[in-house]
Amino acid sequence: MVADQHTILLVGESNVGKTHYGAQFLKRLMVKACALKMSGAPTNLEAFTTALSCLTEGKSTDHTPASTYVESVWPIRDEAGRYAELVWPDYGGEQVRHLVTQRRIPTAWRERVLGATDWVLLIRLHSLRFDDDLFSRPLQSFATVESLGEATSYELSDQARSVELLQMLLYLAQLHLDRPLRKPRLMILLSCWDELETTELPADLLASRLPMLWSFVRSNWASPTVIGLSALERALSKTDVDQEYAIRGPEEFGYVVLPDGEKSADITLPIQRLMIGGV
């Protein structure tokens, strides 16, 4: 069966769990315990196999160095015969922050954004700063500071920086926003879901925690999807071994919370949803 090829761009700042998700995703494909299967030989798996070795020992892995940008291509298909090449960029999350602060797009990022059919934005709510910034504070507060003659500098909050990142990607992709976008599809993965200890639906939680970001997304995409992701299911140490993890194997851990609140151990489901074009 011939299907449209999907090129899926995963974007996230440092410490959101991109590499751990990739390693767990790869392990699911290896043991064939998921909705997707490898349909050919993947490339550039070093970063993910290294992380997987750590997880197999019951330990977490190091973060990707800031200067790294390597693309790992995984040919995958589902049981219905839908095919996709999952282009999984492995990069230091600091690069994403620099995209916004320096307003410069490296060539590798430019080519990937232009070629992507689907965008996946990983956000770790537990680690975000919810400080007031020039987007969220009342205008009166700035007037008060100015009247006192104080020189104050303001920094974008994590929420505002996420909006700015999406705006830059939209501009780079040369997309027209006269109507809500259907392509590229946008999926937001709320990573490290186990930290949040919540029973809220993923979209409701995002709307309550990051209302400005959610408003921007809803205004510019026809059918954005929000899914909770816990790639590891629990916190792991880089030095101390989690014996249960080591004995049972990392493939026995991790889950996603789908838009309707259903919990599934198949962490490949978000990617399959993009492949079938559904939400």
Side-chain angles (χ1 to χ4, degrees), residues 14-243:
S14 59
N15 201 35
V16 297
K18 297 183 305 297
T19 304
H20 280 144
Y21 182 40
Q24 285 286 65
F25 197 108
L26 179 62
K27 184 64 174 181
R28 295 297 204 279
L29 294 175
M30 292 169 61
V31 300
K32 301 179 180 179
C34 59
L36 302 176
K37 299 178 181 179
M38 283 286 192
S39 62
T43 64
N44 295 328
L45 289 177
E46 181 179 356
F48 302 104
T49 54
T50 299
L52 189 53
S53 295
C54 293
L55 295 179
T56 302
E57 296 175 358
K59 296 186 287 187
S60 65
T61 190
D62 290 326
H63 299 301
T64 305
S67 60
T68 297
Y69 186 97
V70 178
E71 289 187 349
S72 183
V73 181
W74 306 0
I76 55 177
R77 61 181 175 86
D78 64 10
E79 294 181 354
R82 301 181 187 90
Y83 172 83
E85 281 193 346
L86 176 57
V87 182
W88 200 298
D90 182 50
Y91 54 86
E94 293 82 358
Q95 290 185 30
V96 177
R97 181 181 290 264
H98 293 162
L99 291 180
V100 176
T101 58
Q102 299 178 5
R103 295 182 178 274
R104 293 183 179 180
I105 308 293
T107 301
W109 276 90
R110 186 183 304 274
E111 294 175 351
R112 180 52 51 215
V113 171
L114 288 173
T117 59
D118 308 271
W119 296 354
V120 178
L121 177 64
L122 287 92
I123 296 176
R124 186 178 181 181
L125 289 176
H126 189 71
S127 65
L128 293 185
R129 296 177 298 115
F130 295 97
D131 302 336
D132 287 338
D133 61 16
L134 57 86
F135 286 93
S136 59
R137 293 183 63 183
L139 292 177
Q140 294 89 332
S141 64
F142 294 97
T144 302
V145 170
E146 291 178 358
S147 65
L148 295 175
E150 299 178 9
T152 305
S153 60
Y154 295 99
E155 179 184 355
L156 287 178
S157 68
D158 292 334
Q159 176 174 209
R161 195 170 57 251
S162 297
V163 173
E164 183 75 2
L165 172 63
L166 287 175
Q167 288 180 321
M168 291 182 66
L169 296 179
L170 288 168
Y171 174 79
L172 185 60
Q174 302 174 4
L175 296 169
H176 299 289
L177 299 179
D178 54 334
R179 66 187 64 181
L181 296 170
R182 296 192 178 278
K183 285 190 177 182
R185 280 178 291 272
L186 177 66
M187 175 176 288
I188 297 177
L189 292 182
L190 301 180
S191 64
C192 302
W193 183 265
D194 53 288
E195 296 176 333
L196 301 173
E197 299 180 348
T198 181
T199 57
E200 286 190 76
L201 296 179
D204 292 343
L205 184 63
L206 179 63
S208 64
R209 297 285 186 91
L210 301 177
M212 180 174 64
L213 173 62
W214 184 232
S215 177
F216 178 82
V217 167
R218 288 294 303 272
S219 297
N220 290 289
W221 271 272
S223 301
T225 307
V226 185
I227 292 178
L229 167 68
S230 178
L232 302 182
E233 198 165 332
R234 63 175 66 169
L236 296 179
S237 168
K238 294 180 182 178
T239 55
D240 299 329
V241 173
D242 185 311
Q243 293 294 343

